[in-house]
């Protein structure tokens, strides 16, 4: 099946006003390109559909050369595909041809992404020749981005960031095999129109580098919170005035004039504002620990909180499957002993015994390994093992939300299904020829007999429904007597009715109703 590209090709995806720059770069023969110095026979195949198998990839890649091995990487416990695989060829030329021909080919309806695989991850992690592109049109996919940036050099990796549903987030990354190609792409494409949207192209910065770059931004306005209610504008002027010339001070209050415990201080010199933030942030005044920082607009705070939440989520996802929860620990086990117990299974990145505020062990803790294989081996070996006369419980650590959802699912399966109430008649009636009076009407019972008298009602004989006192039996209908219901009206008492009056007269059974 041929690859279907839904985005406009390179020539049309770049606006006509800026197309000459790309054309000039192409004509220059990939300016600064020094050839692919990372030639290898191993290919990384990413963006796999979860049901893709080894045999499918072998059939696909063996069309372009002799495939030595194919492996789809899977989760150790669930055996579910992790979405990527490795394909090894016997010849470098065949690997290069497969990357060129099969890249972005749909497999099970999803385009795959191929790049060279390297044993040493330092090249990829160093960020060398890696550029960042943002404000991309949502219609631009991996192939369109690759086609656009391949004009400036050999691309090692190219990816559009997507959400869980596969929708583009509007930014992506391209890594070249040399810095010259990356800088050329930045110079030629930064500020150009791609699909009628002005894009930013610049060098990739790690989060720490971005944070430090953000901290270097100069500002004059300082935000102060967690003030005491007695702190006034004059107090802020006096405290912050020690660090430079203050142009304005405001303490926010509600409609009643009561302080809302935060305010703003504006400096004339940005360097003075930075000194005040560094000196006063976290300092206590009137038993209140102040927060002092750069004043931000609402959208800036939202972006910062979003990035912080995303980093926390990435950190949690990173340790998913390698972090173990250990329960039923003896009180004598501390962090060092817990680490010593699990150290034989691999490299431990963190180890902690949970304790209450008084320092007493809660009997549980966490052990994180460097790989999921090590964690799986420790789980298999240590779960149920006796340690200081107590069996350990070891399991994969879960977030509170995941654990709650799993328990709710188990509880819903355990709850019994409510049975529909019976809708049968309350007074079964039998046609002529049915059982005689006093006969049992249950299957498997013995021969009919006279209903024995039941004690506890003050009389020996029972009033048989269907008969009038002193009269003949009604031949056509019969209401069975059930043990435990004698002396009550058929069908039970009505709601709200008074106590049952046992004033019926004893009725002797007629001779013709007695069964011999």
């Amino acid at each position: 099946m041929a690859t279907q590209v839904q985005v406009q090709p390179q020539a049309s995806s770049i606006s006509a006003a800026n197309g000459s720059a790309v054309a000039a770069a192409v004509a220059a023969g990939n300016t600064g390109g020094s050839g692919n110095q990372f030639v290898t026979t191993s290919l990384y195949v990413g963006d796999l559909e979860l049901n893709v198998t080894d045999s499918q990839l072998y059939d696909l890649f063996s069309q372009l050369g002799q495939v030595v091995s194919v492996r789809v990487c899977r989760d150790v416990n669930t055996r579910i595909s992790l979405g990527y695989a490795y394909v090894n060829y016997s010849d470098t030329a065949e690997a290069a041809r497969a990357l060129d021909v099969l890249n972005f080919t749909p497999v099970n309806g999803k385009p795959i992404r191929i790049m060279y695989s390297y044993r040493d991850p330092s090249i990829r992690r160093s960020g060398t020749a890696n550029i960042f592109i943002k404000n991309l049109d949502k219609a631009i996919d991996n192939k369109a981005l690759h086609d656009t940036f391949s004009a400036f050099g050999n691309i090692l990796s190219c990816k559009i960031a997507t959400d869980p549903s596969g929708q583009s987030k509007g930014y992506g990354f391209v890594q070249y095999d040399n810095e010259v190609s990356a800088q050329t792409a930045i110079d030629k494409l930064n500020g150009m129109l791609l699909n009628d949207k002005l894009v930013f192209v610049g060098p990739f910065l790690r989060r720490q580098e971005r944070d430090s770059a953000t901290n270097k931004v100069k500002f004059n306005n300082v935000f102060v919170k967690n003030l005491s209610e007695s702190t006034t504008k004059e107090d802020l002027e006096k405290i912050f005035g020690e660090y430079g010339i203050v142009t304005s001070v405001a303490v926010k209050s509600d409609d009643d004039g009561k302080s809302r415990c935060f305010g703003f201080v504006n400096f004339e010199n940005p360097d003075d504002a930075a000194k005040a933030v560094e000196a006063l942030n976290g300092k206590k005044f009137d038993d209140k620990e102040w927060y002092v920082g750069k004043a931000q607009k609402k959208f800036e705070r939202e972006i910062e909180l979003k990035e912080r939440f995303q980093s926390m989520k990435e950190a949690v996802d990173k340790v998913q499957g390698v972090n173990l929860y250990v329960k039923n620990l003896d009180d004598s086990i501390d962090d060092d002993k817990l680490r010593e117990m699990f150290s034989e299974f691999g490299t431990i990145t963190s180890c902690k015994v949970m304790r209450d505020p008084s320092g007493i062990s809660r009997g549980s803790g966490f052990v994180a390994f460097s790989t999921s294989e090590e964690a799986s081996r420790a789980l298999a070996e240590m779960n149920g093992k006796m340690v200081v006369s107590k069996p350990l419980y070891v399991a994969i650590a879960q977030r509170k939300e995941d654990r709650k959802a799993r328990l709710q699912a188990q509880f819903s399966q355990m709850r019994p299904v409510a049975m529909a109430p019976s809708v049968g008649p309350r007074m079964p009636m039998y046609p002529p020829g049915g059982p005689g009076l006093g006969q049992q009407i249950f299957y498997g019972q013995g021969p009919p007999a006279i209903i024995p008298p039941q004690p506890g009602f003050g009389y020996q004989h029972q009033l048989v429904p269907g008969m009038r006192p002193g009269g003949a039996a009604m031949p056509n209908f019969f209401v069975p007597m059930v043990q435990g219901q004698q002396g009550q009206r058929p069908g039970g008492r009505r709601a709200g009715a008074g106590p049952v009056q046992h004033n019926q007269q004893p009725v002797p059974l007629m001779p013709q109703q007695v069964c011999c």
Side-chain angles (χ1 to χ4, degrees):
M1 179 178 179
T3 304
Q4 299 294 325
V5 181
Q6 301 296 333
V7 185
Q8 299 176 358
Q10 175 186 335
S12 59
S13 63
I14 303 178
S15 64
N18 299 318
S20 58
V22 178
V26 176
N30 296 338
T31 304
S34 58
N36 189 0
Q37 54 182 322
F38 301 106
V39 175
T40 178
T41 58
S42 181
L43 298 178
Y44 167 88
V45 185
D47 296 347
L48 289 179
E49 199 268 335
L50 295 182
N51 294 320
V52 174
T53 61
D54 298 359
S55 60
Q56 283 182 277
L57 293 181
Y58 180 84
D59 294 341
L60 177 65
F61 283 84
S62 60
Q63 300 174 12
L64 297 171
Q66 183 180 357
V67 175
V68 177
S69 64
V70 175
R71 181 169 68 93
V72 175
C73 297
R74 302 182 179 276
D75 184 85
V76 177
N77 299 320
T78 63
R79 305 305 302 165
I80 297 176
S81 171
L82 297 176
Y84 64 92
Y86 293 96
V87 178
N88 295 312
Y89 281 93
S90 59
D91 183 67
T92 56
E94 294 173 348
R97 185 164 61 250
L99 187 148
D100 183 55
V101 175
L102 297 179
N103 206 7
F104 309 112
T105 299
V107 178
N108 286 4
K110 186 177 180 180
I112 60 176
R113 184 171 56 90
I114 309 174
M115 62 184 187
Y116 285 112
S117 173
Y118 308 106
R119 298 296 181 186
D120 184 9
S122 59
I123 299 172
R124 183 179 69 254
R125 294 175 180 174
S126 65
T128 304
N130 197 4
I131 63 176
F132 171 69
I133 307 99
K134 69 178 181 179
N135 200 33
L136 289 170
D137 186 75
K138 296 296 182 68
I140 295 179
D141 58 5
N142 292 325
K143 186 179 188 309
L145 189 68
H146 186 279
D147 292 343
T148 302
F149 283 84
S150 61
F152 306 99
N154 296 314
I155 293 177
L156 301 181
S157 174
C158 175
K159 184 173 179 61
I160 294 285
T162 57
D163 57 20
S165 63
Q167 194 74 11
S168 170
K169 290 184 177 180
Y171 64 90
F173 307 90
V174 175
Q175 186 174 17
Y176 289 93
D177 61 355
N178 61 84
E179 284 283 2
V180 178
S181 299
Q183 190 58 47
T184 304
I186 293 174
D187 296 338
K188 299 299 182 182
L189 293 182
N190 186 32
M192 293 180 64
L193 293 174
L194 299 182
N195 281 14
D196 298 327
K197 293 191 70 173
L198 194 68
V199 298
F200 166 82
V201 183
F204 169 74
L205 297 177
R206 292 184 178 83
R207 187 176 302 278
Q208 297 84 352
E209 297 170 343
R210 293 199 300 271
D211 292 341
S212 61
T214 302
N215 294 333
K216 293 179 182 177
V217 176
K218 294 185 177 296
F219 58 92
N220 297 76
N221 201 9
V222 176
F223 170 68
V224 191
K225 73 174 181 178
N226 204 27
L227 303 173
S228 65
E229 295 184 0
S230 60
T231 303
T232 62
K233 173 182 174 182
E234 290 74 17
D235 296 333
L236 293 184
E237 286 180 348
K238 181 180 178 181
I239 295 173
F240 282 87
E242 299 178 1
Y243 302 95
I245 301 175
V246 176
T247 58
S248 64
V249 177
V251 175
K252 296 300 180 180
S253 58
D254 55 20
D255 297 336
D256 299 332
K258 185 178 179 180
S259 173
R260 298 173 64 182
C261 300
F262 70 90
F264 298 90
V265 180
N266 196 71
F267 284 88
E268 182 179 294
N269 190 340
D271 295 333
D272 297 337
K275 286 190 297 183
V277 169
E278 184 177 356
L280 297 177
N281 185 34
K283 199 171 182 180
K284 281 191 175 182
F285 294 90
D286 298 333
D287 295 330
K288 292 278 190 176
E289 186 176 325
W290 282 8
Y291 168 81
V292 183
K294 174 182 175 292
Q296 295 176 310
K297 296 181 180 179
K298 183 177 180 180
F299 77 91
E300 293 176 330
R301 292 197 304 272
E302 290 176 349
I303 293 175
E304 181 180 346
L305 291 174
K306 184 178 179 181
E307 291 179 350
R308 189 180 304 173
F309 174 77
Q310 185 66 25
S311 63
M312 292 173 59
K313 185 176 183 300
E314 290 175 356
V316 172
D317 293 340
K318 186 177 181 180
V319 300
Q320 192 72 17
V322 301
N323 194 15
L324 296 181
Y325 170 68
V326 186
K327 189 171 67 171
N328 207 26
L329 293 173
D330 190 79
D331 293 342
S332 62
I333 295 178
D334 56 8
D335 294 351
D336 295 334
K337 290 184 179 179
L338 186 64
R339 179 183 293 272
E340 183 181 350
M341 288 162 47
F342 285 86
S343 60
E344 61 179 290
F345 302 103
T347 304
I348 296 177
T349 59
S350 66
C351 181
K352 181 72 174 175
V353 174
M354 307 307 294
R355 300 183 180 276
D356 60 16
S358 61
I360 300 175
S361 172
R362 296 182 183 270
S364 61
F366 296 90
V367 180
F369 288 89
S370 59
T371 64
S372 58
E373 290 81 3
E374 296 171 350
S376 300
R377 189 163 61 250
L379 172 62
E381 295 289 338
M382 296 298 291
N383 188 32
K385 184 177 180 180
M386 296 294 293
V387 177
V388 195
S389 72
K390 297 179 73 174
L392 293 183
Y393 170 82
V394 184
I396 298 295
Q398 293 179 314
R399 290 184 295 180
K400 182 179 179 180
E401 298 79 7
D402 299 338
R403 188 168 65 252
K404 184 177 179 181
R406 180 175 59 83
L407 291 175
Q408 286 180 344
Q410 291 180 352
F411 178 73
S412 62
Q413 293 176 356
M414 292 170 58
R415 286 198 304 183
V417 180
M419 300 297 293
S422 175
V423 295
R426 296 181 63 182
M427 295 179 61
M429 306 181 74
Y430 295 89
L437 288 176
Q439 287 183 295
Q440 298 287 345
I441 60 171
F442 304 108
Y443 292 103
Q445 299 290 336
I450 301 175
I451 300 176
Q454 302 295 327
F457 289 92
Y459 56 91
Q460 297 299 321
H461 299 285
Q462 303 298 320
L463 177 64
V464 180
M467 289 184 57
R468 295 183 181 181
M474 299 177 66
N476 292 336
F477 303 100
F478 175 74
V479 180
M481 296 289 291
V482 181
Q483 186 174 353
Q485 292 183 347
Q486 285 79 1
Q488 297 183 6
R489 294 169 54 182
R493 294 172 53 188
R494 295 184 180 179
V500 178
Q501 300 294 330
H502 301 289
N503 55 359
Q504 291 91 342
Q505 298 295 327
V507 180
L509 294 176
M510 302 300 292
Q512 60 268 28
Q513 274 105 30
V514 179
C515 298
C516 300

